[in-house]
Amino acid sequence: MPEGPSLLLLKEDIDALHLIGKKVLRIDGTNKIEADRLIGQQLKAVKTYGKNFLLCFKDFTLRVHLMMFGTYLINAEKSTKLQLSLQFEDAKINFYTTSLKIIEEDPDDLFDWSSDIMSDQWNAAAALKKLKAQPDAIIADLLLDQQIFTGSGNIIKNEALFRAGIHPLSKVASIPDKKLKELIKAVRDFSFDFLNWRRDKVLKRHLEVYEQKNKKHPHIIKEYLGKGKRGTYIWPEKQHLYV
DNA sequence: GGGCTTGTTACTGT
DNA sequence: TACAGTAACAAGCC
């Protein structure tokens, strides 16, 4: 569920319920959120920031992060531990396996939407500047850096690197500006393809390297690399290593 | 059924 | 003390 594009689909599902202006009638689940603060509150806005889903109320915002395995169901339940249920007049939203937090600050003050890969305010030039500020990093790590590419995850990392023809272990300082710009554009473009493909439930068949070892092409290899030792797929003939 | 996985944080040790 | 590396957590797919 969790990369940026999937959060937009979550927002689409919630928007379809027309809950703005509606009150929270009841909350349930194993969360440690203060129920008293939420009950009776009118939903003011629903936003996403990268992988964060934001339910905005008058004086605070509930931040829902779906982590690796987070899921949600609308007007439906499943057997795994219910973490947070928000009952509105005509609809109930159930969240499972999430990280929840009440944010006191105004989200517009707290979050910089120009780094959000899905946002209208996305600023490619700012991303380039942030990449170049870490010349010794390997590019694969920076594609997961939420300060630079807010909302990017491991699938986007792999596919964007493939599209730009850059090997994941390339050192940032060694990659020509032209290629960095190409990569930044690939992140943005792939993320919207991801959004549309996932909406149509056809994402997997369009992936070119991610989980494609021994599938799309026999030369694709898999390595665990970078800070988080995340699974990384490489088609060596097509991805140049800049060192 | 063991080994993966779209993620992040809190520890640990150096 | 700062940083890098590891463990922990979760549910579902194959």
Side-chain angles (χ1 to χ4, degrees):
Chain A
M1 196 53 233
E3 295 189 38
S6 298
L7 270 287
L8 260 67
L9 296 177
L10 166 55
K11 179 169 163 18
E12 285 179 11
D13 285 344
I14 302 301
D15 284 346
L17 301 173
H18 303 292
L19 295 176
I20 303 304
K22 298 289 174 62
K23 286 181 180 171
V24 177
L25 302 183
R26 175 190 168 100
I27 78 163
D28 280 302
T30 58
N31 63 81
K32 292 172 183 167
I33 301 293
E34 301 162 70
D36 292 350
R37 286 194 70 180
L38 279 159
I39 292 167
Q41 289 289 322
Q42 232 178 26
L43 185 64
K44 296 288 183 190
V46 172
K47 302 179 182 187
T48 66
Y49 178 66
K51 301 166 189 172
N52 299 281
F53 185 62
L54 308 172
L55 292 154
C56 307
F57 298 93
K58 184 167 171 282
D59 298 319
F60 61 89
T61 293
L62 174 61
R63 188 214 64 176
V64 182
H65 196 299
L66 282 73
M67 305 298 284
M68 189 90 89
F69 312 121
T71 52
Y72 66 95
L73 290 172
I74 293 167
N75 298 326
E77 283 164 31
K78 61 177 180 174
S79 60
T80 51
K81 191 172 75 178
L82 174 63
Q83 194 171 24
L84 174 65
S85 168
L86 291 164
Q87 176 73 61
F88 290 87
E89 192 176 338
D90 302 316
K92 184 194 258 185
I93 311 170
N94 292 331
F95 287 107
Y96 305 85
T97 330
T98 60
S99 167
L100 302 165
K101 192 181 180 187
I102 297 275
I103 296 171
E104 308 293 345
E105 299 93 326
D106 183 335
D108 290 321
D109 296 338
L110 197 60
F111 302 122
D112 174 10
W113 265 274
S114 73
S115 70
D116 185 335
I117 57 171
M118 305 308 292
S119 171
D120 293 342
Q121 298 174 44
W122 167 249
N123 185 335
L128 179 65
K129 198 174 169 185
K130 289 181 207 167
L131 287 180
K132 291 171 77 79
Q134 297 191 53
D136 296 328
I138 64 162
I139 193 64
D141 280 338
L142 298 195
L143 283 162
L144 296 177
D145 186 330
Q146 299 302 299
Q147 302 295 318
I148 305 176
F149 297 104
T150 308
S152 174
N154 206 31
I155 298 175
I156 294 173
K157 176 194 87 176
N158 277 284
E159 295 291 319
L161 281 168
F162 176 73
R163 284 188 174 188
I166 298 171
H167 192 289
L169 286 173
S170 296
K171 189 177 153 187
V172 173
S174 306
I175 305 172
D177 275 18
K178 183 169 172 286
K179 295 301 286 182
L180 285 177
K181 288 177 185 170
E182 210 177 307
L183 176 64
I184 291 165
K185 187 171 187 315
V187 169
R188 175 90 169 157
D189 289 348
F190 175 77
S191 297
F192 282 91
D193 286 341
F194 184 134
L195 171 67
N196 292 316
W197 288 331
R198 163 130 305 171
R199 188 191 287 114
D200 295 338
K201 304 191 194 313
V202 294
L203 175 67
K204 284 196 174 173
R205 78 176 69 148
H206 288 285
L207 297 177
E208 295 184 272
V209 286
Y210 182 82
E211 289 185 339
Q212 298 306 317
K213 187 186 174 189
N214 301 327
K215 290 182 184 168
K216 283 257 161 94
H217 196 278
H219 290 181
I220 295 171
I221 57 172
K222 181 183 185 184
E223 287 181 22
Y224 293 91
L225 55 82
K227 283 183 182 169
K229 297 273 183 288
R230 302 296 299 276
T232 305
Y233 298 82
I234 309 158
W235 188 336
E237 292 85 350
K238 295 200 171 199
Q239 296 180 260
H240 189 265
L241 178 60
Y242 298 91
V243 287

